[in-house]
């Protein structure tokens, strides 16, 4: 058809052709629109990463059945979580409890395969909502073979170094991601006010301001929240090098009477706000993804059923937008005896504002009871929708929908030398020098490297398990060097530090007879004693004495030769009876796998810089005793720590 002619100028045959052609095109378009309309109507906005976050959440929530929503609120133990179980019950989350592993000495690749198999079950459901796998990583990726184990928080608090804490968080995130896991139950931001508590080593300090500062570990785990980021909204940096964090245990777990684990915290609301709540202000400001509720009570009211503190204060006043998770079987503890009325426990916990329930083994009972409570109207759908909206917000924010499967690309991050060097630095900075030299004598530390012969003694000198403490390979930890993890004991570090001509004699438990026969042989001794590993209630201790045979070894060795005593413990212990006998006393806390960090400072490659992050009492009768108390008479006050310089 000639381009120069207008429509009216075309010949009749052309006009007829064009009319027929246009009709055909219109017919084709009409048919195409009929075909495309159902697809457009079924367009899943939640699958489109270009859609705004809230639109994706609302779109997915509107598509979900009650069963799918309740499944998202359920977190079960790895032992139960086959792909079929995850698919059948629409399970939203899986966890590894302490010591729960795919196999002894499992490699990162074995972990990734296990997690991905469960994820396959989740993605094969109708809506394909990815499963979120969580694990305790309170001082490194403690469940995993050959992971780097950092000092426990009780030691890190003595560094007073928030940037170091942030670096540790980033390293831990990489090691966790190396095993295909995107979520950690860390950090513990408890403010331990009584060292008789078995979890005191999980606390950075008795001082809420210091705990707030060290909560910077959250930004290491999750990534630094952008300037201008929305307050209270969960944040995890893009990519797969960070993890969702969990601040715990909300709230007041470090203030229980007598330091009893899962006990009652008697405190006014003002005291709760001023002592135990401040770390949560910092956590929320950093975009922490989740908050775990404490087993403990506040003035007799169980935290797992406390609507005022969970919903009214945390969610409404602090504007926390992530999800709230229960502790392990925590809802069962609402009733006395435990589990006496499970349906009542479910009702109280959900209505209090807990969004995800950690029900390791009773998930079918939980799902059945919560379904009943929803269908009979006891729990409104608005509460269920709020819980699921929060869970989905975290999953979308961390990119789980776009990258649900893990791969093997980060396997080399686990236990790598760079992380071990960082842990060694943390050990050096966490050590606190409490005594250095007897009156009228020269300081003993730093120790000379070129002595003729030295004695290394004590139960903790050559014991990686004792060094690491609880939450290492198993829940409670285990003494000995068969931990199935890699590391350097303090004895190993000493042997590396001394000169080639120095004879290092190791005797775990030398008696008085041994010392009488050999005291002229040794230039000096290093005695390393302390507590055995423990976790939670198993660590509750009302006497806090140095365990046997530590006291006798101190007396026998230090009574014969100049000695430095290194105390490996999760808290201050009673040491005043030995102060006159020892020449030097070092608080090493629970240093983890890098024992060479202790010898680095003992021998003067680095100076002592650590400062007590908690008060060192004289006797347990003084407890609880914290900085700022009217009656404050410590053996060593909060902030104490002798300084030394690196040897020339």
């Amino acid at each position: 058809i000639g381009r120069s002619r207008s429509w009216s100028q075309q010949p009749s045959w052309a006009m007829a052709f064009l009319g027929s052609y246009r009709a055909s095109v219109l017919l084709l378009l009409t048919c195409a629109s009929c075909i495309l309309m159902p697809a457009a109507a079924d367009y899943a906005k939640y699958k489109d990463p270009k859609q705004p976050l809230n639109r994706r959440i609302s779109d997915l929530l509107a598509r979900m059945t009650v069963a799918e929503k309740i499944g998202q609120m359920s977190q079960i133990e790895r032992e139960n979580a086959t792909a079929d179980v995850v698919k059948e019950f629409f399970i939203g989350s899986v966890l590894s409890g302490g010591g729960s592993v795919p196999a002894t000495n499992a490699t990162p690749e074995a972990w990734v395969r296990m997690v991905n198999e469960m994820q396959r079950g989740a993605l094969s459901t109708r809506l394909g909502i990815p499963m979120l796998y969580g694990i305790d990583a309170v001082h490194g990726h403690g469940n995993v073979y050959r992971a780097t184990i950092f000092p426990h928080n009780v030691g890190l608090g003595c560094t007073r170094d928030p940037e170091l804490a942030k670096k540790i968080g980033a390293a831990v995130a990489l090691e966790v991601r190396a095993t295909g896991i995107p979520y950690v139950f860390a950090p513990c931001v408890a403010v331990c006010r009584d060292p008789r508590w078995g979890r005191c080593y999980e606390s950075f300090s008795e001082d809420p301001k210091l705990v707030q500062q060290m909560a910077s570990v959250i930004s290491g785990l999750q990534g630094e929240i952008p300037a201008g980021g929305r307050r209270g909204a969960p944040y995890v940096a893009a990519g797969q090098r960070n993890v969702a964090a969990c601040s715990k245990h909300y709230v007041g777990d470090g203030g229980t009477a007598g330091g009893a684990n899962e006990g009652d915290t008697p405190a006014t609301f003002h005291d709760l706000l001023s002592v135990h709540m401040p770390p949560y202000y910092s956590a929320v400001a950093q975009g922490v993804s989740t908050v775990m509720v404490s087993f403990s009570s506040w003035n007799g009211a169980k935290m797992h059923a406390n609507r005022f503190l969970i919903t009214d204060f945390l969610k409404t006043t602090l504007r926390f937008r992530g999800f709230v998770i229960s502790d392990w079987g925590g809802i069962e503890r609402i009733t006395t005896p435990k589990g006496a009325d499970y349906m009542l426990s479910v009702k109280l916990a959900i209505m209090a504002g807990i969004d995800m329930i950690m029900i390791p083994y009773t998930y079918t009972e939980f799902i059945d009871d919560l379904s009943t409570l929803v269908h009979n109207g006891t729990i409104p759908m608005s509460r269920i929708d709020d819980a699921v909206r929060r869970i989905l917000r975290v999953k979308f924010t961390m990119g789980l929908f776009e990258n649900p499967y893990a791969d093997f690309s980060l396997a080399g991050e686990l236990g790598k030398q760079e992380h071990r060097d960082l842990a060694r630095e943390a050990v050096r900075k966490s050590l606190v020098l409490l005594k250095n030299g007897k009156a009228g004598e020269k300081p003993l530390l730093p120790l000379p490297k070129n002595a003729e012969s030295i004695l290394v003694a004590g139960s903790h000198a050559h014991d990686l398990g004792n060094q690491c403490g609880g939450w290492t390979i198993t829940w409670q930890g285990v003494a000995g060097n068969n931990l199935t993890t890699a590391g350097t004991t303090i004895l190993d570090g000493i042997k590396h530090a001394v000169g080639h001509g120095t004879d290092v004699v190791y005797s775990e438990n030398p008696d008085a007879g041994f010392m009488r026969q050999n005291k002229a042989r040794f230039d000096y001794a290093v005695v390393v004693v302390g507590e055995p590993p423990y976790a939670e209630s198993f660590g509750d201790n009302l006497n806090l004495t140095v365990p046997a045979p530590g006291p006798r070894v101190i007396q026998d060795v230090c009574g014969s030769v100049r000695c430095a005593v290194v105390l490996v413990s999760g808290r201050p212990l009673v040491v005043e009876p030995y102060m006159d006998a020892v020449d030097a006393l070092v608080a090493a806390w629970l240093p983890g796998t890098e024992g060479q960090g202790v010898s680095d400072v003992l021998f003067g490659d680095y100076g002592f810089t650590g400062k007590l992050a908690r008060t060192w009492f004289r006797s347990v009768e003084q407890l609880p005793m914290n900085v700022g108390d009217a009656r404050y008479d410590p053996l060593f006050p909060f902030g104490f720590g002798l300084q030394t310089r690196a040897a020339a």
Side-chain angles (χ1 to χ4, degrees), residues 436-451:
N436 191 17
K438 295 178 179 177
E441 296 183 4
K442 294 170 61 175
L444 178 62
L445 302 177
L447 298 168
K449 294 183 177 182
N450 295 313

Side-chain angles (χ1 to χ4, degrees), residues 6-17:
S6 68
W7 173 262
S8 60
Q9 294 176 313
Q10 305 300 329
S12 58
W13 66 266
M15 293 180 65
F17 173 79

Side-chain angles (χ1 to χ4, degrees), residues 53-293:
L53 173 62
N54 286 331
R55 190 174 298 170
R56 297 182 76 185
I57 295 170
S58 295
D59 179 70
L60 179 51
L61 194 62
R63 298 168 183 270
M64 296 174 70
T65 65
V66 173
E68 288 166 334
K69 291 175 181 179
I70 290 174
Q72 284 301 301
M73 298 171 67
S74 307
Q75 184 182 70
I76 69 175
E77 221 288 328
R78 178 203 62 81
E79 294 177 31
N80 308 310
T82 64
D84 289 341
V85 167
V86 171
K87 179 180 179 180
E88 178 183 355
F89 294 96
F90 311 107
I91 297 299
S93 185
V94 178
L95 83 153
S96 276
S100 181
V101 298
T104 302
N105 296 0
T107 63
E109 291 83 0
W111 280 91
V112 168
R113 284 191 290 269
M114 177 195 72
V115 174
N116 281 348
E117 174 63 13
M118 297 173 191
Q119 193 67 278
R120 182 184 63 78
L123 296 179
S124 66
T125 57
R126 181 178 70 94
L127 295 172
I129 303 173
M131 170 275 305
L132 177 62
Y133 199 105
I135 196 165
D136 287 287
V138 296
H139 67 144
H141 201 7
N143 271 354
V144 178
Y145 174 61
R146 298 190 71 83
T148 307
I149 305 300
F150 292 86
H152 268 296
N153 288 352
V154 66
L156 293 182
C158 296
T159 70
R160 282 172 161 72
D161 191 340
E163 284 302 314
L164 176 64
K166 191 183 299 184
K167 290 178 183 178
I168 290 172
V172 172
L174 283 170
E175 298 212 4
V176 172
R177 280 287 194 174
T179 57
I181 298 172
Y183 175 34
V184 298
F185 308 123
C188 177
V189 293
V191 182
C192 176
R193 305 289 281 180
D194 193 325
R196 291 174 291 188
W197 183 37
R199 303 192 81 147
C200 202
Y201 63 76
E202 296 184 52
S203 169
F204 290 110
S205 177
E206 70 189 37
D207 176 34
K209 292 181 180 178
L210 182 51
V211 177
Q212 275 189 286
Q213 293 169 9
M214 299 304 289
S216 60
V217 67
I218 293 169
S219 291
L221 291 165
Q222 297 192 153
E224 194 83 44
I225 191 168
R230 185 182 177 190
R231 176 178 170 82
Y235 175 79
V236 180
Q240 292 184 281
R241 299 176 69 84
N242 293 92
V243 294
C246 177
S247 53
K248 61 183 187 180
H249 309 85
Y250 186 81
V251 62
D253 51 338
T256 59
N261 193 47
E262 303 185 23
D264 182 52
T265 298
T268 65
F269 185 49
H270 176 270
D271 288 341
L272 194 72
L273 292 183
S274 61
V275 175
H276 299 286
M277 197 67 77
Y280 291 94
Y281 306 154
S282 297
V284 170
Q286 291 179 78
V288 73
S289 296
T290 71
V291 171
M292 184 183 291
V293 179

Side-chain angles (χ1 to χ4, degrees), residues 289-638:
S289 296
T290 71
V291 171
M292 184 183 291
V293 179
S294 176
F295 286 136
S296 60
S297 303
W298 175 47
N299 293 331
K302 293 281 189 179
M303 275 304 310
H304 272 71
N306 197 314
R307 180 179 174 83
F308 168 67
L309 287 175
I310 297 172
T311 295
D312 297 345
F313 194 82
L314 178 62
K315 291 184 172 181
T316 305
T317 302
L318 297 188
R319 300 184 61 79
F320 172 64
R321 293 292 180 266
F323 69 78
V324 176
I325 186 170
S326 78
D327 205 338
W328 177 284
I331 65 171
E332 300 173 11
R333 292 163 163 84
I334 292 174
T335 59
T336 304
K338 183 173 72 173
D341 189 335
Y342 193 75
M343 186 172 286
L344 175 63
S345 294
V346 173
K347 170 191 168 184
L348 292 174
I350 299 300
M351 292 305 294
I354 301 178
D355 305 309
M356 182 178 284
I357 308 296
M358 192 184 291
I359 25 129
Y361 306 112
T362 58
Y363 63 96
T364 55
E365 185 179 358
F366 167 76
I367 290 171
D368 289 345
D369 285 0
L370 182 52
S371 299
T372 298
L373 291 166
V374 172
H375 287 303
N376 68 20
T378 302
I379 294 178
M381 276 305 302
S382 58
R383 172 74 272 270
I384 300 300
D385 286 348
D386 172 63
V388 178
R389 181 176 292 275
R390 289 168 175 276
I391 293 165
L392 295 179
R393 181 179 291 120
V394 170
K395 290 185 175 184
F396 277 120
T397 298
M398 61 193 299
L400 202 55
F401 280 79
E402 285 65 58
N403 295 290
Y405 287 113
D407 58 38
F408 304 137
S409 62
L410 294 175
E413 296 290 338
L414 188 81
K416 74 176 185 179
Q417 192 58 48
E418 181 182 338
H419 296 165
R420 294 190 180 278
D421 292 342
L422 180 63
R424 184 171 169 181
E425 176 188 352
V427 174
R428 292 194 296 262
K429 292 182 175 179
S430 68
L431 302 178
V432 180
L433 181 58
L434 300 173
K435 181 180 179 180
N436 191 17
K438 295 178 179 177
E441 296 183 4
K442 294 170 61 175
L444 178 62
L445 302 177
L447 298 168
K449 294 183 177 182
N450 295 313
E452 187 174 326
S453 180
I454 65 173
L455 172 67
V456 180
S459 54
H460 288 52
H462 191 48
D463 193 308
L464 200 57
N466 283 340
Q467 262 178 227
C468 292
W471 296 105
T472 310
I473 300 301
T474 68
W475 173 36
Q476 293 293 316
V478 58
N481 290 323
N482 297 317
L483 261 184
T484 66
T485 196
T488 304
T489 67
I490 295 173
L491 174 64
D492 292 333
I494 291 172
K495 288 180 176 179
H496 280 100
V498 298
H500 293 298
T502 300
D503 181 26
V504 178
V505 177
Y506 169 59
S507 176
E508 179 179 338
N509 189 13
D511 57 19
F514 175 87
M515 293 309 302
R516 280 195 301 270
Q517 294 173 9
N518 293 279
K519 66 179 181 179
R521 174 183 176 187
F522 303 120
D523 293 272
Y524 57 83
V526 179
V527 178
V528 192
V529 295
E531 295 183 293
Y534 56 81
E536 300 193 42
S537 299
F538 293 89
D540 287 0
N541 188 328
L542 296 179
N543 61 63
L544 296 181
T545 54
V546 177
R552 182 191 55 75
V553 173
I554 292 172
Q555 297 289 8
D556 288 345
V557 174
C558 297
S560 303
V561 63
R562 293 193 80 192
C563 73
V565 172
V566 177
L567 188 63
V568 176
S569 65
R571 52 202 162 187
L573 300 177
V574 177
V575 296
E576 193 171 33
Y578 322 114
M579 291 305 297
D580 289 340
V582 306
D583 293 273
L585 178 62
V586 177
W589 312 111
L590 296 169
T593 52
E594 307 313 304
Q596 203 163 347
V598 177
S599 57
D600 284 342
V601 184
L602 286 180
F603 290 90
D605 292 326
Y606 297 83
F608 281 92
T609 58
K611 303 271 188 188
L612 287 179
R614 55 180 323 99
T615 298
W616 202 295
F617 58 90
R618 296 179 184 276
S619 67
V620 292
E621 287 72 29
Q622 295 176 297
L623 300 176
M625 178 176 60
N626 296 281
V627 62
D629 288 355
R631 301 180 66 179
Y632 191 68
D633 180 31
L635 181 61
F636 301 108
F638 176 87

